[in-house]
């Protein structure tokens, strides 16, 4: 089945709410004065967001707002409101149709806290990078304030925070399983994934007089409803059964996930729910899911149908101001400064990395813009973006080099239930040609006024090695000194749990990269990224990675510790100790080594920065406990020096560990509980 053919009406053929006025608003209004200037007495829809309002297609609320505007709706924006009272939520008056609430471009907890649960003091999506301008779990808080402001106005949740919390989910910051955000926020409807199709249909049907509870047929929508009598339930909540609700049945079928109360108490039930949700993520074959929350059923429709290139072009060709709202004056918004000279050419990712949330939100079917649309945007950047010097800072998307890649057979694509197209090996049905991307790069370089085009999005190197011509093109024209690559680890244990290729693939890419660099007469270098403390990683794995780094003379300035983001497969591993990539049932689940103790997480991070004197005391003690004291010394093949040089390291000059009466105090890196916050 061709999933693109599933949509009866395309995004660009819908009739719209009212005839267009002939001109778009310079910015969607954030004040009554702006509404008056537009001749509006009220908004149809008010979007509330945790980000500053930047009218640019890299910001979700701008896309949704402009798309609804193109449908004839009057849309206002309330950006980063003071949540201490309902008054700021009344600023634009009562919306006629609904409030749309989003946390912004990032989950608010990921935005505010580090992987060690420490508070961040800055926020890239806020003027002047100021931290603290949004509350924790801001989607929930904003929804409560909208309800206080206008009790009878429907509330629709969207954005990545809602998308990744659409079912019962483990929340790292509270260290517990939370209900669906739809239940906690007490909103009427939740739209997950790329929301263009769904939000347009929701708006038009609400405008036609339907109630939110009537919108149960829209793809990408979650709401509370009873299971219709004509549906057959497949019970994935029976953990003594091996079929996991995977049987194919004719007619209307819904899969019952383990209930919130069940996944809260039973970790294998949580892993089962995660596995089934990810297996039901292909729009071509996914079935509705239902999950009990108390005395109500949470119903999730199948994921949205991917946008066609024509629809993607229409979205990105909308009349964005391509600037922050004037109310911010000259204040710098770091996220805007980062992307204002970059271009998104595609969405989605078929890599399926378990620690990443792209697939859960955007899907694994690549959605591409046409060359013409991309070139038009580059000309707009050249002509309308202040400060443009001729350098496009990035041309890519979730990855740099999946543009126009897809399954060779639409029927196979529609039937596939695998979580990745490239693990454990690249699927033979996947078209890995880089020809379209190379041609696009060349056309962009030829655009008048463009001096340089950088590729800053992550290059998927296991795909790149299939195209020596692409690597040559990349090195010759699109690298500026360093290219960031993410092998993530060197050891098979964690790599298998990440669904990443082995380090041998990285070695092949490096050989090809270095050869292209030499041929081009450049001095460019690879910067590999690695993750510490990922599920499936042992202390020995991190030690071997540190030895690899030292052997290859890499010294990481900044390192990434695994952060269990909501709904990711690796988060399910972290919370449950069970591998949902394989069958999950009582007595038959595959166990995973997890790194949950704060001390062990710090040790794994220290191995990545083996060269930092601050880490030497911790590493020396750990190596002794691991029986690898042979790695302590000054030889090139040893990891850390035997003695702390005077004046180095945080532990320099401190007392020796206290010895108890029962013998030497042992330093253990495992089983230490995380500090609650």
């Amino acid at each position: 089945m061709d999933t693109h053919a599933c949509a009866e009406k395309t995004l660009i053929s819908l009739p719209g709410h009212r005839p267009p006025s002939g001109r778009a608003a310079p910015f969607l209004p954030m004040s009554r004065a702006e509404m008056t200037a537009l001749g509006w007495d009220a908004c149809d829809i008010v979007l509330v967001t945790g980000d500053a309002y930047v009218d640019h297609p890299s910001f979700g609320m701008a896309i949704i707002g402009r798309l609804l505007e193109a449908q004839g709706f009057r849309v206002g924006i309330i950006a980063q409101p003071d949540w201490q009272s309902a008054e700021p939520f009344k600023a634009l008056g009562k919306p006629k149709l609904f409030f749309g609430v989003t946390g912004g471009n990032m989950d608010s907890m990921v935005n505010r806290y580090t992987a060690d649960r420490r508070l961040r003091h800055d926020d890239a999506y806020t003027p002047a990078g100021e931290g603290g301008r949004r509350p924790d779990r801001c989607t929930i808080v904003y929804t409560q304030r909208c309800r206080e402001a206008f009790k009878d106005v429907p509330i629709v949740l969207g954005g990545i925070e809602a998308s990744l919390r659409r079912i019962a989910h483990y929340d790292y910051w509270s260290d517990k399983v939370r209900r669906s955000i739809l239940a906690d926020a007490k909103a009427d409807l939740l739209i997950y994934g790329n929301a263009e199709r769904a939000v347009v249909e929701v708006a038009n049907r609400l405008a036609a007089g339907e109630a939110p509870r009537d919108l149960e047929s829209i793809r990408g929508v979650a709401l509370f409803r009873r299971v219709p009598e004509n549906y057959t339930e497949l019970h994935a909540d029976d953990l003594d059964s091996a079929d996991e609700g995977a049987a194919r049945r004719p007619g209307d079928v819904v899969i019952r996930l383990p209930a919130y109360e069940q996944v809260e108490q039973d970790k294998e039930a949580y892993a089962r729910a995660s596995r089934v949700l990810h297996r039901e993520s292909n729009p071509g074959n996914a079935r509705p899911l239902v999950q009990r929350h108390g005395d109500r059923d949470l119903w999730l429709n199948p994921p949205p149908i991917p946008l066609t290139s024509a629809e993607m072009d229409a979205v990105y060709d909308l009349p964005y101001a391509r600037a922050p709202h004037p109310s911010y004056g000259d204040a710098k918004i770091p996220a805007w400064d980062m992307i204002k000279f970059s271009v998104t050419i595609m969405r989605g990712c078929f890599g399926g990395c378990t620690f990443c949330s792209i697939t859960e939100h955007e899907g694994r079917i690549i959605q591409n813009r046409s060359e013409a649309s991309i070139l038009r945007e580059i000309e707009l950047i050249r002509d309308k973006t202040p400060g443009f010097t001729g350098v496009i800072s990035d041309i890519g998307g979730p990855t740099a080099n999946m543009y126009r890649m897809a399954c060779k057979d639409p029927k196979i694509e529609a039937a596939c239930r695998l979580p990745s197209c490239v693990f454990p090996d690249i699927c033979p049905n996947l078209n890995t040609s880089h020809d379209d991307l190379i041609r696009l790069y060349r056309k962009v370089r030829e655009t008048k006024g463009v001096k340089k085009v950088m590729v800053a999005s992550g290059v998927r190197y296991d795909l790149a090695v299939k195209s020596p011509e692409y690597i040559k093109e990349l090195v010759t024209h699109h690298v500026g000194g360093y290219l960031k690559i993410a092998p993530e680890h060197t050891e098979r244990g964690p790599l298998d749990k990440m669904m990443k290729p082995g380090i041998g693939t990285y070695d092949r890419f490096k050989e090809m990269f270095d050869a292209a660099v030499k041929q081009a007469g450049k001095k460019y270098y690879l910067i590999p990224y690695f993750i510490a403390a990922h599920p499936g990683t042992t202390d020995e794995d991190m030690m071997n990675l540190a030895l690899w780094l030292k052997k290859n003379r890499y010294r990481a300035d900044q390192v990434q510790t695994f952060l269990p983001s909501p709904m990711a497969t690796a988060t399910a591993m972290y919370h449950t100790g069970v591998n949902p990539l394989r069958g999950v049932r009582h007595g038959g689940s595959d166990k995973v080594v997890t790194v949950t103790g704060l001390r062990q997480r710090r040790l794994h991070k220290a191995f990545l920065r083996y060269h930092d004197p601050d880490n030497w005391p911790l590493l020396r003690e750990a190596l002794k406990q691991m029986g690898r004291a042979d790695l302590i010394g000054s030889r090139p093949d040893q990891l850390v020096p035997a003695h702390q040089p005077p004046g180095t390291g945080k532990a320099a000059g401190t007392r020796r560990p206290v010895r108890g009466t029962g013998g030497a105090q042992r330093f253990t890196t495992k089983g230490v509980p995380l500090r609650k916050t």
Side-chain angles (χ1 to χ4, degrees):
M1 178 178 65
D2 183 353
T3 56
H4 289 174
C6 291
E8 295 181 1
K9 297 180 180 179
T10 67
L11 190 65
I12 53 181
S13 67
L14 294 168
H17 175 57
R18 61 169 63 89
S21 63
R23 65 181 180 89
F27 284 86
L28 300 177
M30 290 181 64
S31 67
R32 288 286 192 134
E34 292 171 86
M35 290 171 58
T36 300
L38 293 169
W40 300 0
D41 58 347
C43 290
D44 298 314
I45 300 158
V46 172
L47 303 180
V48 183
T49 174
D51 292 342
Y53 172 32
V54 180
D55 198 50
H56 185 277
S58 289
F59 294 78
M61 92 293 291
I63 286 182
I64 296 303
R66 289 298 187 180
L67 181 62
L68 290 169
E69 179 192 48
Q71 284 284 309
F73 295 99
R74 294 174 175 176
V75 184
I77 301 279
I78 297 177
Q80 297 188 321
D82 182 350
W83 65 92
Q84 303 301 326
S85 76
E87 288 306 309
F89 296 79
K90 301 177 183 178
L92 302 181
K94 182 178 180 179
K96 293 181 178 180
L97 296 180
F98 66 89
F99 276 111
V101 177
T102 173
N105 274 19
M106 292 178 65
D107 180 276
S108 62
M109 300 302 287
V110 175
N111 180 280
R112 291 203 73 206
Y113 296 93
T114 70
D116 292 330
R117 296 187 174 127
R118 293 175 179 169
L119 183 68
R120 301 184 196 272
H121 298 290
D122 58 353
D123 184 340
Y125 293 90
T126 300
E130 180 185 354
R133 290 287 298 275
R134 72 184 86 204
D136 289 358
R137 312 184 202 286
C138 65
T139 297
I140 295 174
V141 176
Y142 291 163
T143 302
Q144 293 169 344
R145 294 295 178 262
C146 289
R147 191 72 77 196
E148 291 172 19
F150 301 106
K151 185 176 181 180
D152 58 339
V153 174
I155 300 175
V156 179
L157 307 184
I160 197 164
E161 181 163 281
S163 190
L164 299 186
R165 297 172 181 270
R166 59 187 183 261
I167 66 169
H169 56 280
Y170 173 73
D171 181 81
Y172 172 64
W173 298 271
S174 58
D175 193 23
K176 68 178 184 180
V177 176
R178 296 180 64 95
R179 301 186 300 172
S180 164
I181 196 171
L182 186 62
D184 282 346
K186 298 181 175 62
D188 297 281
L189 210 64
L190 184 152
I191 300 176
Y192 71 87
N194 293 135
E196 286 93 349
R197 287 194 202 284
V199 77
V200 167
E201 186 170 355
V202 165
N204 278 295
R205 289 175 63 174
L206 290 178
E210 295 188 58
R213 63 178 177 274
D214 300 326
L215 307 182
E216 76 283 347
S217 63
I218 301 174
R219 277 179 169 265
V221 158
L223 72 166
F224 283 101
R225 67 175 296 207
R226 293 180 180 177
V227 175
E229 292 183 0
N230 61 306
Y231 269 78
T232 300
E233 286 194 30
L234 297 181
H235 284 270
D237 57 343
D238 179 7
L239 266 72
D240 293 317
S241 169
D243 69 14
E244 303 172 319
R248 308 304 294 185
R249 300 281 181 86
D252 294 325
V253 172
V254 61
I255 300 177
R256 181 166 290 281
L257 299 176
Y260 160 68
E261 292 78 9
Q262 189 178 358
V263 300
E264 183 186 32
Q265 300 297 325
D266 185 338
K267 291 186 175 181
E268 282 184 306
Y270 185 98
R272 169 74 73 91
S274 174
R275 174 173 170 80
V276 172
L277 180 137
H278 286 88
R279 285 171 63 85
E280 298 294 330
S281 63
N282 182 346
N285 59 45
R287 295 161 292 182
L289 305 174
V290 65
Q291 185 178 53
R292 195 74 170 170
H293 279 61
D295 59 354
R296 298 190 296 170
D297 276 336
L298 174 72
W299 179 281
L300 280 81
N301 277 329
I305 300 299
L307 298 183
T308 64
S309 287
E311 291 172 321
M312 283 279 283
D313 290 354
V315 167
Y316 282 85
D317 287 346
L318 290 168
Y320 305 98
R322 308 187 68 83
H325 190 272
S327 63
Y328 301 124
D330 295 330
K332 300 291 186 182
I333 300 175
W336 160 243
D337 288 339
M338 183 181 298
I339 60 86
K340 62 184 177 182
F341 303 131
S342 68
V343 182
T344 298
I345 63 174
M346 44 77 68
R347 290 180 183 170
C349 179
F350 49 71
C353 299
T354 62
F355 53 82
C356 179
S357 300
I358 292 171
T359 301
E360 284 92 338
H361 185 59
E362 296 192 5
R364 64 183 180 91
I365 296 174
I366 305 303
Q367 303 167 71
N368 309 280
R369 295 173 63 187
S370 71
E371 289 181 353
S373 175
I374 294 165
L375 293 172
R376 281 196 300 272
E377 182 170 3
I378 289 172
E379 290 171 350
L380 283 173
I381 292 172
R382 178 195 66 195
D383 298 339
K384 293 190 175 183
T385 306
F388 181 64
T389 61
V391 178
I392 298 296
S393 60
D394 185 29
I395 183 168
T399 61
N401 58 321
M402 289 186 182
Y403 182 67
R404 297 209 173 280
M405 291 188 183
C407 190
K408 297 174 184 176
D409 187 335
K411 292 183 179 179
I412 293 175
E413 178 184 78
C416 183
R417 294 165 61 82
L418 296 176
S420 173
C421 300
V422 293
F423 182 86
D425 296 300
I426 295 175
C427 178
N429 294 312
L430 180 67
N431 170 25
T432 61
S433 171
H434 287 67
D435 291 350
D436 287 334
L437 185 57
I438 293 170
R439 183 168 55 251
L440 174 64
Y441 284 174
R442 291 172 179 172
K443 289 185 177 181
V444 172
R445 293 200 308 269
E446 292 169 359
T447 302
K448 183 179 179 180
V450 173
K451 300 175 183 177
K452 180 79 173 179
V453 182
M454 307 301 298
V455 173
S457 300
V459 173
R460 187 80 195 200
Y461 55 88
D462 51 348
L463 295 173
V465 296
K466 299 291 184 180
S467 175
E469 185 181 3
Y470 173 74
I471 296 176
K472 180 180 178 180
E473 190 84 9
L474 183 72
V475 167
T476 305
H477 301 288
H478 303 288
V479 176
Y482 298 95
L483 180 68
K484 298 174 183 177
I485 295 291
E488 308 297 5
H489 218 286
T490 58
E491 306 305 296
R492 226 14 309 156
L495 288 172
D496 285 346
K497 301 305 182 293
M498 297 174 184
M499 293 206 299
K500 291 283 288 186
I503 196 65
T505 306
Y506 168 81
D507 292 336
R508 287 196 295 277
F509 177 81
K510 186 176 186 306
E511 289 175 5
M512 297 169 73
F513 178 87
D514 290 344
V517 166
K518 184 177 181 180
Q519 183 177 354
K522 307 286 188 179
K523 290 186 178 181
Y524 292 158
Y525 305 93
L526 288 181
I527 299 180
Y529 277 21
F530 298 93
I531 294 180
H534 191 279
T537 310
T538 65
D539 297 352
E540 289 74 18
D541 289 331
M542 291 306 301
M543 177 191 72
N544 289 333
L545 172 53
L547 291 169
W548 185 92
L549 289 169
K550 185 169 186 181
K551 178 182 177 181
N552 288 277
R553 299 182 179 180
Y554 284 124
R555 292 189 172 189
D557 290 329
Q558 294 181 332
V559 298
Q560 179 182 0
T561 305
F562 169 67
L563 194 159
S565 59
M567 219 171 79
T569 298
T571 300
M573 296 180 192
Y574 173 91
H575 170 59
T576 66
V578 171
N579 182 7
L581 297 175
R582 298 185 179 179
V584 179
R585 62 185 183 276
H586 287 149
S589 301
D590 182 35
K591 303 301 181 183
V592 177
V593 173
T594 57
V595 186
T596 57
L598 183 58
R599 193 177 296 180
Q600 190 186 11
R601 284 170 65 83
R602 287 175 176 166
L603 172 63
H604 284 207
K605 187 175 180 180
F607 270 122
L608 282 181
R609 285 184 51 80
Y610 66 91
H611 55 280
D612 187 344
D614 285 350
N615 293 326
W616 291 345
L618 176 63
L619 291 174
R620 275 194 293 266
E621 200 66 31
L623 289 169
K624 291 174 184 176
Q625 294 295 324
M626 294 164 66
R628 294 305 309 268
D630 59 301
L631 295 177
I632 301 172
S634 57
R635 295 197 314 268
D637 62 334
Q638 293 176 310
L639 201 56
V640 294
H643 303 286
Q644 196 78 21
T648 65
K650 295 177 182 178
T654 59
R655 295 180 299 170
R656 293 176 179 271
V658 177
R659 297 181 181 274
T661 56
Q665 180 181 355
R666 289 188 56 131
F667 171 74
T668 177
T669 64
K670 296 184 179 180
V672 181
L674 282 165
R675 174 173 55 86
K676 298 294 179 67
T677 56

